[in-house]
Amino acid sequence: MTQTTQMLDGETQAVIDANALIAAQNDSFRSTYGASLGIAGTVVHTQGVSALDYDLQMQIMVKVMTFSQFDEDNDPYQDHTFGAFSVTNADVGEVNLFWKIDLYDTSYTFGSPEPSNPKVTRRVLTIMLSSEY
């Protein structure tokens, strides 16, 4: 039995490498809830998330920080910019949520000119109810 290895061209490999670097930076930012040294940005909640009680908001924060269920459906570029999850509370039942990370320039005006470079990239981690998407 022969095994075939497909060689990637340089441009394709560069994209894969950049996405892996972005994923590591996004994971660092998200897992520290925006407090990662060297990875600048902000964390925001939608009105729906802000209206939830404190205990649910704490569950949400922990779920976002520890999220690791990336697959081809929710992470096609392997850059860890999106996650879907749920939390449960006796009062309201199951709450479905999304988080997403957008990569901006340093003035938060346009997309980052070089998303893998933290010196020119600012992240915005948005946490929202799935119904708010």
Side-chain angles (χ1 to χ4, degrees), residues 71-83:
D71 58 38
E72 289 181 17
D73 290 333
N74 69 12
D75 192 29
Y77 302 107
Q78 299 177 351
D79 57 5
H80 296 190
T81 56
F82 176 84

Side-chain angles (χ1 to χ4, degrees), residues 11 18 23 26 66 69 89 92 109 118 122:
E11 191 174 317
N26 285 343
T66 60
Q69 299 156 325
N89 177 285
V92 295
T109 306
R122 299 297 177 263

Side-chain angles (χ1 to χ4, degrees), residues 21-52:
L21 182 55
I22 292 167
Q25 293 168 357
N26 285 343
D27 288 346
S28 178
F29 183 76
R30 182 181 40 76
S31 69
T32 61
Y33 222 62
S36 178
L37 295 177
I39 309 292
T42 189
V43 177
V44 296
H45 301 156
T46 59
Q47 288 182 339
V49 173
S50 295
L52 297 172

